[in-house]
Amino acid sequence: MTLFKKALFSFSIVSSAIVIYDLLPLDHKYLAVTDVNSQSTESIERVLPGEQFILSHMLNANGTLRTNLKSNKTTDPQTAVGHDALSESMGLWLQYAYEKGDLTLFRKNAEVIKNSFMKSDGWIAWKVNPNGKPVTTNALVDDLRITYDLYSAGTKWEDADFKKTADTITRSILKRQYVNNTFRDFYDYSKEWPSNVITIAYLDAFSIVNLYEQSKITEDAYQKTKKFMINLPLNNGFYPFNYHVNEGTYEYHDQVNLLDQLFVEYSTAKFGQKDSEFWSFLKKSFQDDSILYGKYDITTKKRAVEFESPSVYGLAILCALEHNDSEFAKDLYYRMIRFQTLNPTSEYYGGYMNYQPVDTHIFDNLVPLLAERKLYNARILQ
């Protein structure tokens, strides 16, 4: 079972939409509004259009984030659609609130996670359906990200409750998903067993470094994980998708999902690998085509699909920031926002919409929003 394989939400930009966007006056392509309601202890400069869209269109009644704008349904327990809520989304939303400096938004959603996703012992369901019923498995990367957010917020706002919750989740991770010196994808709470696979993109370096700095994992555990990531064997310049622990083997996909690759790149860069073959490929591909496609052929390195994804650009921006490449980050940003509805009169202002059909995926809104906020925090955008 692979919980990380959430399909890219493909976007086709019709020529009329491009024309409308290009005709908008420059000062209407980005509309900043003052946040008058926040109780944050930090000074919040602006509410970004993407945040406005999420607050207006992507919230369920219980405060969780819906996966899609439309309320589609599925009988596949391993798929999230419609108004299903994901721990992945909540972790990214927390991260955005932290980067924004919005304590009220952060605290509200930390409570949502505790009430809707988390058991008292710190285990977090990766999905909760619209009726509030959670699945019986979790996802390591989501739990790690949430602990990172909570520890960071606990330090920033000197909030002991945030750190206490992070400690509870961390204990669950280390008890259930760190087996024989290796992190595992998930833990099935009903069957009481962990996966014997680790999806490489699940090893979020920012969270793991933080756990080490918080003295939650040992020096040995930290160094082994870091070494594992830095020494990943490449296939034609691409990272493996996952590692089968019992067999000691890596798995590669014939069609490489760029999101998976970028998550790994983000972590290896954090661990100190700044000159990877994959990053060189990515930059050259964008230089040659002015586009990043959703998937590439592992053998030919040519695009395997025709679609782009705003979340790919958002994650590439985060990688560029980690590589201290502000010019590349800006180039990626201006390509990314071509997919955003920036007409302030539109019902879907701020959203990364697919207008055929009229729908969107929360991931394709959260990652670009987080990237944009980080660009402002870095003063790359003014």
Side-chain angles (χ1 to χ4, degrees):
M1 176 173 58
T2 304
L3 300 178
F4 185 75
K5 293 175 65 180
K6 302 180 176 76
L8 283 170
F9 199 84
S10 62
F11 278 72
S12 58
I13 302 300
V14 296
S15 58
S16 60
I18 295 175
V19 170
I20 291 171
Y21 174 79
D22 289 338
L23 288 176
L24 282 174
L26 182 61
D27 58 354
H28 283 111
K29 291 183 179 179
Y30 175 80
L31 181 65
V33 297
T34 304
D35 182 358
V36 297
N37 297 314
S38 174
Q39 300 300 312
S40 171
T41 58
E42 298 288 327
S43 173
I44 301 172
E45 296 179 357
R46 56 172 64 82
V47 174
L48 299 178
E51 180 185 346
Q52 288 181 259
F53 172 78
I54 290 172
L55 292 173
S56 299
H57 294 283
M58 302 301 288
L59 286 181
N60 289 318
N62 61 0
T64 61
L65 293 173
R66 55 188 58 169
T67 297
N68 294 106
L69 179 65
K70 290 190 172 182
S71 57
N72 301 321
K73 295 181 180 180
T74 179
T75 57
D76 183 358
Q78 307 310 324
T79 301
V81 299
H83 293 178
D84 290 337
L86 305 176
S87 59
E88 173 186 67
S89 304
M90 300 308 299
L92 291 168
W93 195 219
L94 278 187
Q95 199 163 25
Y96 172 76
Y98 172 81
E99 292 292 336
K100 183 188 176 190
D102 191 334
L103 176 56
T104 298
L105 182 64
F106 191 98
R107 178 171 284 129
K108 180 186 297 183
N109 287 285
E111 287 301 310
V112 170
I113 290 171
K114 289 169 67 175
N115 294 334
S116 297
F117 291 86
M118 193 175 95
K119 291 184 178 293
S120 60
D121 61 4
W123 180 90
I124 298 174
W126 77 273
K127 183 180 77 167
V128 176
N129 73 17
N131 297 322
K133 182 179 179 180
V135 294
T136 62
T137 51
N138 68 337
L140 175 69
V141 65
D142 302 341
D143 297 7
L144 286 174
R145 186 181 291 119
I146 290 169
T147 61
Y148 175 61
D149 297 338
L150 289 166
Y151 280 130
S152 300
T155 300
K156 182 184 185 72
W157 288 301
E158 299 180 351
D159 190 306
D161 286 340
F162 291 155
K163 290 186 176 182
K164 182 179 178 181
T165 303
D167 284 342
T168 303
I169 300 169
T170 298
R171 284 194 294 270
S172 176
I173 293 171
L174 296 179
K175 175 184 177 181
R176 298 178 169 114
Q177 288 171 264
Y178 190 70
V179 182
N180 296 329
N181 300 314
T182 307
F183 285 102
R184 308 299 176 95
D185 266 10
F186 66 87
Y187 179 84
D188 190 314
Y189 205 91
S190 63
K191 297 178 180 178
E192 299 184 343
W193 62 271
S195 164
N196 69 344
V197 173
I198 180 65
T199 300
I200 309 301
Y202 274 29
L203 294 173
D204 178 69
F206 293 82
S207 306
I208 292 167
V209 169
N210 183 257
L211 289 178
Y212 174 62
E213 292 174 346
Q214 298 282 338
S215 300
K216 303 302 178 183
I217 59 174
T218 65
E219 173 81 19
D220 182 61
Y222 170 71
Q223 293 296 344
K224 282 184 176 179
T225 306
K226 179 179 178 179
K227 182 178 179 181
F228 176 84
M229 293 295 287
I230 292 295
N231 295 317
L232 287 170
L234 303 183
N235 185 334
N236 201 23
F238 292 112
Y239 296 113
F241 175 71
N242 60 26
Y243 178 70
H244 294 261
V245 179
N246 294 346
E247 295 82 3
T249 58
Y250 293 90
E251 180 181 343
Y252 301 83
H253 290 169
D254 293 337
Q255 289 191 358
V256 177
N257 186 318
L258 210 56
L259 276 176
D260 296 335
Q261 298 291 303
L262 284 165
F263 270 117
V264 179
E265 178 67 27
Y266 197 31
S267 285
T268 56
K270 174 64 176 177
F271 277 136
Q273 179 66 267
K274 301 294 186 180
D275 56 351
S276 74
E277 186 177 347
F278 169 75
W279 189 244
S280 297
F281 158 78
L282 185 95
K283 291 191 68 173
K284 186 177 186 306
S285 295
F286 188 78
Q287 179 183 351
D288 291 346
D289 302 330
S290 298
I291 289 175
L292 293 177
Y293 294 96
K295 294 183 180 182
Y296 288 81
D297 186 277
I298 198 169
T299 302
T300 66
K301 290 193 170 184
K302 302 296 183 181
R303 66 177 182 266
V305 295
E306 295 296 327
F307 65 80
E308 303 170 69
S309 167
S311 53
V312 164
Y313 289 113
L315 192 49
I317 289 168
L318 297 181
C319 290
L321 292 175
E322 191 61 27
H323 283 285
N324 298 314
D325 194 339
S326 59
E327 289 304 312
F328 186 37
K330 282 197 293 186
D331 289 342
L332 291 164
Y333 170 75
Y334 290 118
R335 182 68 191 180
M336 179 180 76
I337 62 173
R338 290 184 59 164
F339 295 93
Q340 190 176 24
T341 301
L342 290 175
N343 182 344
T345 66
S346 171
E347 176 186 359
Y348 301 114
Y349 171 66
Y352 286 84
M353 296 294 297
N354 179 0
Y355 285 99
Q356 296 178 349
V358 180
D359 202 2
T360 189
H361 194 289
I362 188 62
F363 191 76
D364 278 325
N365 289 273
L366 284 170
V367 176
L369 176 62
L370 178 60
E372 186 175 14
R373 176 59 67 183
K374 282 180 171 282
L375 287 171
Y376 276 103
N377 289 353
R379 300 294 187 263
I380 294 171
L381 297 178
Q382 300 293 332

